[in-house]
C-alpha cells in the first residue's frame, strides 16, 4: 500500500504542481482573449441575471432547471472544504501573496467556466425525459469515432471515481472531523446522519437536489460571510487594511512581508495560489457543466454568463473572506496549516465558539458538495451504464459517505487529488476543440443583444 500511495502522490504531484496549472491558466487566458474579456464585459449582466432569477422556491421545471437552480447546484459543488482549508493551505505554503494569485487564476477561470457552460448547453441532450449534458457529451461532439468515444469514456470514469466515490469520502471525513473536534461526537454517527439525508436527496433526482441547493447555498454563504465580517470588525479597520497590504506586497516581494511569508519565494506564492484557487472554484475541471447544461435559458451564453458568477462567489467572496480572517488575525504567522489554521483564526476572536462556527460551516460546505458531486457522477453513470445503474450508484455513494466519515485514509485523499487531475485533461481537450463553436455562439449572443437595443 505504501508503494501504491507513493506512486499515486507522484502522479498527482506532476499533474497539479506543473502540467495542470499551465494548462488551466493557459486555457483561461486563451478564452479571455478570444471572447474579448467576457468576464469583464458581461459581469454586470451576470449579476443582473443572478438577482433577477434568484428564488428559494424555483419549483420544478419540465425538461430542466431554472438558471438559478443550475447555478446553485454548481456552487454547491464549488464551495466546499477547500474554501476553509484551501485558502489556509495556500497561505501557509505560499504566504499571504498566494491569495493575490488565487484572484488572478479566478479571473481567467471565469472565462473558462463561461466556455464550459456555453458548450454544455449547446451539446446537451434528452435521455428518458431528462435533460443531460457535460464534458462527455461535448467531447464526443468535438471528436467523432473511436478517439472521441475513448476520451469521453475516460472522463466519465474519472469523474465517477474522483467525485462520486473518493471525493465524497474526503468531504464526509471533513464533516466527521469537524464535529468530533467541536462537540466530541463520534464521526461514524455524524456520517450515518449525513448518509441517510444524502440518500433521501439522491432518490429524488436532480429536481430534489436543485430544490435543496437553491435554499441551502444562499443561506450557508450568507451565514459564513456574516461570521467572517464579524471577525474582521472585531480586528478593526487597521488590521483589515494591513491584511490587504500583506497580500499585495507578498505577491511580488514575499521577503519584504512579515510573519509567515518569510522564506517564501514569488514562485511559491504563484504556485500555491493558482493551484489552490483552481482546485477550489473548479473552473476547467469539467464538473459544473453538468449542472449548467440542465438550465432552461433562451441562449447558451445566458447560462455561460451566470456560470461566471459562480467562480466570483466562490473565490472573490467566500475564499477571500477566509483569507482576510487568517491574515487579519495574524494566525498565518503560526506553524499551522489547512483547516487547523482556519480554526485558529476564528478561535482567536470567537473563542470556543470559533470551533463550533467552523464545524457548522464545514457541515454545510461539505454536505452540499457531496450532493453536487453525486449528481455530476450520476450523469456519467447514466451515460455509461443506463438508468438501471443509478440506484446501485446511489447506494454506493451513500456507503462511501458513511465509510469516509469515520475512516481517514491518506491514500484516499491522495487518490482523490490524482483522479481530479486526470478528469481535467480530457475536459480541456474537448473544450479547446470546441472553441470555434463557443466563440461563434458568444458573438451571436452579443449581436442579438445589440439588435434588441437597436444599436
Amino acid at each position: 500500500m505504501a508503494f501504491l500511495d507513493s506512486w499515486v502522490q507522484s502522479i498527482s504531484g506532476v499533474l497539479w504542481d506543473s502540467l495542470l496549472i499551465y494548462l488551466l491558466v493557459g486555457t483561461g487566458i486563451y478564452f479571455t482573449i478570444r471572447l474579448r474579456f467576457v468576464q469583464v464585459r458581461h459581469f454586470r449582466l451576470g449579476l443582473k441575471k443572478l438577482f433577477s432569477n434568484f428564488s428559494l422556491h424555483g419549483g420544478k421545471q419540465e425538461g430542466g432547471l431554472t438558471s438559478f437552480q443550475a447555478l446553485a447546484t454548481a456552487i454547491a459543488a464549488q464551495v466546499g472544504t477547500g474554501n476553509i482549508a484551501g485558502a489556509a493551505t495556500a497561505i501557509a505554503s505560499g504566504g499571504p501573496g498566494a491569495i493575490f494569485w488565487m484572484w488572478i487564476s479566478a479571473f481567467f477561470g471565469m472565462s473558462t467556466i463561461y466556455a464550459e457552460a456555453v458548450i454544455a448547453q449547446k451539446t446537451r441532450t434528452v435521455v428518458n425525459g431528462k435533460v443531460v449534458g457535460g464534458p462527455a457529451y461535448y467531447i464526443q461532439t468535438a471528436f467523432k469515432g473511436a478517439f472521441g468515444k475513448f476520451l469521453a469514456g475516460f472522463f466519465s470514469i474519472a469523474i465517477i471515481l474522483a467525485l462520486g466515490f473518493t471525493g465524497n469520502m474526503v468531504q464526509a471525513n471533513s464533516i466527521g472531523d469537524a464535529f468530533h473536534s467541536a462537540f466530541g461526537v463520534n464521526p461514524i454517527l455524524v456520517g450515518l446522519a449525513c448518509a441517510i439525508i444524502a440518500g433521501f436527496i439522491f432518490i429524488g433526482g436532480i429536481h430534489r437536489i436543485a430544490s435543496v441547493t437553491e435554499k441551502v447555498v444562499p443561506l450557508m454563504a450568507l451565514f459564513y460571510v456574516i461570521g467572517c465580517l464579524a471577525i474582521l470588525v472585531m480586528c478593526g479597520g487597521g488590521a483589515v487594511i494591513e491584511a490587504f497590504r500583506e497580500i499585495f506586497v507578498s505577491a511580488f516581494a514575499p521577503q519584504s512581508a512579515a510573519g509567515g511569508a518569510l522564506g517564501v519565494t514569488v514562485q511559491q506564492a504563484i504556485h500555491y495560489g493558482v493551484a489552490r484557487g483552481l482546485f477550489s472554484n473548479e473552473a476547467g475541471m469539467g464538473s459544473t457543466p453538468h449542472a449548467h447544461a440542465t438550465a432552461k435559458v433562451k441562449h447558451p451564453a445566458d447560462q455561460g454568463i451566470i456560470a461566471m458568477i459562480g467562480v466570483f462567489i466562490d473565490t472573490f467572496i467566500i475564499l477571500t473572506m477566509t483569507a482576510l480572517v487568517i491574515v487579519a488575525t495574524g494566525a498565518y504567522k503560526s506553524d499551522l496549516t489547512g483547516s487547523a489554521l482556519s480554526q485558529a483564526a476564528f478561535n482567536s476572536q470567537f473563542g470556543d465558539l470559533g470551533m463550533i462556527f467552523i464545524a457548522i460551516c464545514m457541515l454545510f460546505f461539505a454536505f452540499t458538495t457531496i450532493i453536487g458531486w453525486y449528481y455530476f457522477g450520476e450523469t456519467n453513470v447514466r451515460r455509461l451504464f443506463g438508468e438501471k445503474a443509478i440506484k446501485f450508484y446511489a447506494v454506493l455513494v451513500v456507503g462511501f459517505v458513511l465509510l469516509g466519515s469515520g475512516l481517514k485514509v491518506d491514500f484516499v485523499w491522495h487518490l482523490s487529488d490524482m483522479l481530479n487531475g486526470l478528469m481535467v485533461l480530457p475536459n480541456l481537450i474537448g473544450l479547446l476543440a470546441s472553441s470555434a463553436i463557443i466563440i461563434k455562439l458568444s458573438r451571436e449572443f452579443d449581436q442579438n443583444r445589440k439588435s434588441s437595443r437597436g444599436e
Side-chain angles (χ1 to χ4, degrees), residues 91-92 96 242 246 257-261 326-336 341:
I91 292 172
E242 178 62 20
E246 287 278 350
I326 290 172
V327 180
T329 58
Y332 76 100
K333 297 177 183 178
S334 69
D335 294 328
L336 298 174
L341 176 54

Side-chain angles (χ1 to χ4, degrees), residues 303-324:
Q303 193 61 25
I305 289 168
I306 202 167
M308 298 188 308
I309 304 302
V311 173
F312 180 81
I313 292 171
D314 174 87
T315 303
F316 288 100
I317 297 180
I318 306 295
L319 195 143
T320 297
M321 284 288 105
T322 304
L324 288 176

Side-chain angles (χ1 to χ4, degrees), residues 48-56 66-69 297 306:
K48 182 180 178 180
K49 286 181 177 293
L50 171 64
F51 290 108
S52 64
N53 292 320
F54 178 82
S55 173
L56 297 180
T66 67
S67 184
F68 178 74
Q69 285 176 328
V297 291
I306 202 167

Side-chain angles (χ1 to χ4, degrees), residues 341-379:
L341 176 54
S342 298
Q343 188 74 69
F346 281 90
N347 286 352
S348 69
Q349 301 298 318
F350 284 166
D352 291 339
L353 288 177
M355 187 174 293
I356 296 173
F357 178 80
I358 287 294
I360 294 172
C361 290
M362 193 73 80
L363 170 64
F364 284 115
F365 283 16
F367 187 75
T368 54
T369 297
I370 288 172
I371 295 172
W373 282 2
Y374 163 83
Y375 173 67
F376 301 158
E378 180 193 271
T379 301

Side-chain angles (χ1 to χ4, degrees), residues 67-247:
S67 184
F68 178 74
Q69 285 176 328
L71 176 66
T73 304
I75 293 177
Q78 290 170 299
V79 178
T81 56
N83 291 79
I84 295 176
T89 300
I91 292 172
S93 303
I99 302 305
F100 174 83
W101 298 109
M102 275 188 174
W103 294 337
I104 296 298
S105 67
F107 174 78
F108 291 117
M110 289 173 74
S111 68
T112 303
I113 212 162
Y114 168 91
E116 287 181 302
V118 169
I119 194 62
Q121 274 278 320
K122 180 64 177 177
T123 58
R124 68 182 188 170
T125 187
V126 178
V127 179
N128 296 327
K130 297 181 176 68
V131 177
V132 292
Y137 293 89
Y138 57 71
I139 288 171
Q140 278 211 275
T141 300
F143 300 102
K144 306 297 182 183
F147 180 70
K149 187 176 182 180
F150 165 77
L151 206 61
F154 181 87
F155 173 85
S156 291
I157 292 172
I159 195 171
I160 292 168
L161 295 175
L163 303 188
F165 298 149
T166 59
N168 278 338
M169 284 185 73
V170 169
Q171 297 295 327
N173 187 261
S174 298
I175 297 174
D177 274 354
F179 267 70
H180 179 68
S181 299
F183 307 106
V185 181
N186 188 325
I188 291 294
L189 295 179
V190 177
L192 181 61
C194 288
I196 292 172
I197 297 171
F200 172 75
I201 296 171
F202 296 164
I203 292 171
I206 182 57
H207 289 293
R208 185 175 293 173
I209 291 171
S211 179
V212 171
T213 57
E214 71 178 347
K215 297 174 181 63
V216 175
V217 167
L219 294 177
M220 77 175 189
L222 183 63
F223 178 73
Y224 186 69
V225 169
I226 290 174
C228 290
L229 288 175
I231 292 280
L232 297 178
V233 168
M234 293 168 74
C235 289
V240 176
I241 293 172
E242 178 62 20
F244 275 108
R245 190 194 74 82
E246 287 278 350
I247 289 171

